[in-house]
Amino acid sequence: MLSERPAQTSGPAVGKTGRQLIIEQFLADGLPYMFGNPGTVEQGFLDSLEEYPDFKYILTLQESIAVGMADGYARASGGPALVQLHSGVGLGNGIGMMYQAMRGHAPLVVIAGESGVQYDAMDAQMAADLVAMARPVTKYSTRVVHASSLLRVIRRAIKIATTAPMGPVFVSLPMDVLDTVIEEQVHPATRVRTRVRPDDEALHEAAALLASATRPLILMGDGVTFSGAQAELQQVAERLGAPVWGVNNSEVNMLASHPLYQGNTGHMFGADSIRAVQDHDCVLVVGTYVFPEVFPALSGAFAEGTSIVHIDLNAYEIAKNHPVDVALLGDPKTTLAALLNALEPLQDASAQEAAQTRSTSIGAAKQQAREAAIAADDAHAQSEVAEGTPLQMASFMRELAKHLPADALVFDEALTNSPPITRYLPDLGPGQFFQTRGGSLGVGIPGALGLQLAHPDKVVVGFTGDGGGMYTIQALWTAAHHQIPAKFVVCNNRSYKLLKLNIEQYWSERDVPQHAFPKSFDLYPPFIRFDEMAHSMGVASELVERPDQIGPAIERMLSHQGPYLIDLVIGEGL
């Protein structure tokens, strides 16, 4: 939840141009960084940056990196982040990452320059309808056409971006508008308080359904983090004795180590979600929509007769795809707290005992599965040493867990290699662990840089794959150029492993016999050397291929004062 900032004002803006005043507006709204890639139509504005030493321009070499860094910064700071793109071509490059920000409700304020209103009729070089381009991936997309509206529109955009449900906004800024002298004061944008809760009657109806359930289930998403509702979610889950599955879950909405937390339902196939939810008679959905797979179940996701209660501050997401018995529009934190109070008088001693029995059983099954996974990791680690079998991610994570500071931050874009991260770092708390969302590849490296700028005193480790890493590898130059000391691990399995797993599912569903994977799924030859690319961009790095190299490499990475990359060569495991 974004906190209101103290009121600030500046003196009369006599003799100042729009290009100067928007910088003062951004500073008044607590936006000290601008992530961008410069262009000619923004040159006057960028020239004015030199007048404001407290305003830092973070130079990136491709627009998707600017958006990815801003996304990570917004997630880690809990506030808005500012992006500058260059006209239509730059906006086009950034749209993929803006889609990720939209899906993840990141409050990004994206601006782009253009040559000027006076050139509208010319259809000149780089002319494009920027507002229309940005509209599908933003909450609000607009263009300033007169200098008198410049600051008003900027404040409106910031207010919209930071009001739940949060999300990216876009403002097109013509050069002639920015060059105009404006007589207007700067003051911070309004922040809207959204700590609202449903009425008591609706809460009692929801509590009655949940209290009468014998096989309750909770599906939660990042709306829990946006609201700061982790404690309330845990308390409701424990009172119900309900397993908790993550849906659209890329933040720490519940500790991975909690006995009731079951992981994520999946992001690709509806059958994965069906397996998680079918055996339950009442489902509480909070802070997410259901279900965010690429191929979701069109019907039959829930068992016949299942009661569903849905809590969200985003009315659009409630009952978007499946019928709901009780729809509660409200802030997750305040609504879950009120729901907990409503549940207490409805559960007698036997109900509480049954909930505890369920919790114990769920926790025991989870612990058994974890121990089995660790045993399998141990067996593979022995074969890595004795037989020279390819490294696996678990061997690296086991060693990293011994050295990583307790307050470190992790950005996880390891995808197929993600499970060992939470298996060996299960106690990363809220604000410490971030995963990719929205389907955009390449967010791991720039996302980690954004985390580091938001928390310069913390150790930040970003994981990516060789496929995802190549989307935004230029971000390493930005790390070296600005001396951002984030650490990076590239899980280099020489393939798009996720595609191979997905096509195996495709073959199975269509009774297609197993055969060789498409050649386009492999990333060799040649073998991509991420350590060499990192070195060429000024980032210290090394290649890790053997078990005995892991520990020393981790120690060197964590003790290094600047950015550092480990190119971790691992097997596919297919």
Side-chain angles (χ1 to χ4, degrees), residues 1 194-197 227 311 313 329-336:
M1 182 69 183
T194 56
R195 288 289 190 204
V196 296
R197 47 154 281 186
S227 174
I311 299 170
L313 199 52
L329 181 65
D331 170 67
K333 184 178 182 69
T334 54
T335 303
L336 286 172

Side-chain angles (χ1 to χ4, degrees), residues 149-397:
S149 295
L150 176 62
L151 298 187
R152 180 186 300 110
V153 170
I154 293 293
R155 286 192 290 268
R156 181 188 302 157
I158 294 171
K159 183 203 72 171
I160 292 172
T162 57
T163 299
M166 297 182 295
V169 296
F170 173 78
V171 182
S172 177
L173 299 174
M175 181 184 283
D176 47 9
V177 170
L178 293 181
D179 285 342
T180 302
V181 174
I182 300 174
E183 304 290 338
E184 186 179 355
Q185 284 191 334
V186 170
H187 58 84
T190 298
R191 302 298 174 89
V192 180
R193 302 185 184 190
T194 56
R195 288 289 190 204
V196 296
R197 47 154 281 186
D199 61 85
D200 290 339
E201 181 180 353
L203 285 164
H204 180 80
E205 185 179 352
L209 286 176
L210 291 163
S212 63
T214 58
R215 302 183 309 280
L217 171 72
I218 296 177
L219 301 174
M220 58 75 176
D222 288 341
V224 172
T225 286
F226 303 151
S227 174
Q230 290 92 340
E232 290 77 10
L233 173 67
Q234 179 176 318
Q235 291 168 349
V236 170
E238 290 170 350
R239 175 158 285 278
L240 294 173
V244 180
W245 284 91
V247 182
N248 216 28
N249 170 48
S250 65
E251 310 268 347
V252 180
N253 300 304
M254 192 174 196
L255 286 180
S257 59
H258 194 282
L260 292 175
Y261 178 67
Q262 303 296 296
N264 292 325
T265 57
H267 76 284
M268 187 61 61
F269 302 104
D272 295 329
S273 295
I274 289 176
R275 281 191 292 272
V277 306
Q278 276 287 300
D279 191 34
H280 296 275
D281 58 355
C282 188
V283 179
L284 171 61
V285 184
V286 57
T288 184
Y289 71 97
V290 289
F291 289 96
E293 298 106 350
V294 176
F295 304 103
L298 297 175
S299 62
F302 299 98
E304 187 71 26
T306 300
S307 300
I308 301 176
V309 176
H310 197 155
I311 299 170
D312 209 310
L313 199 52
N314 188 350
Y316 172 73
E317 302 292 14
I318 298 175
K320 182 170 74 174
N321 294 320
H322 302 281
V324 166
D325 294 279
V326 181
L328 302 176
L329 181 65
D331 170 67
K333 184 178 182 69
T334 54
T335 303
L336 286 172
L339 181 63
L340 184 66
N341 291 333
L343 279 169
E344 290 179 2
L346 299 179
Q347 290 181 302
D348 57 20
S350 63
Q352 294 178 38
E353 183 179 353
Q356 182 58 52
T357 300
R358 286 193 296 269
S359 295
T360 301
S361 176
I362 293 166
K366 176 179 178 177
Q367 181 61 24
Q368 185 178 12
R370 183 174 186 272
E371 290 173 356
I374 290 176
D377 292 343
D378 291 342
H380 194 284
Q382 293 175 8
S383 70
E384 290 171 1
V385 175
E387 304 171 25
T389 55
L391 290 179
Q392 64 170 0
M393 183 66 169
S395 299
F396 183 87
M397 289 308 305

Side-chain angles (χ1 to χ4, degrees), residues 75-76 250-251 409-412 431-436 451:
R75 296 175 71 178
S250 65
E251 310 268 347
L409 278 68
V410 172
F411 198 107
D412 171 22
Q432 285 188 270
F433 183 63
F434 306 84
Q435 289 186 299
T436 184
L451 301 189

Side-chain angles (χ1 to χ4, degrees), residues 485-489 539-542 553 556-557 560 562-566:
K487 318 305 179 188
F488 312 100
V489 179
V539 173
S541 59
E542 62 183 289
R556 284 189 289 271
M557 177 180 75
H560 187 71
Y564 200 97
L565 180 141
I566 291 178

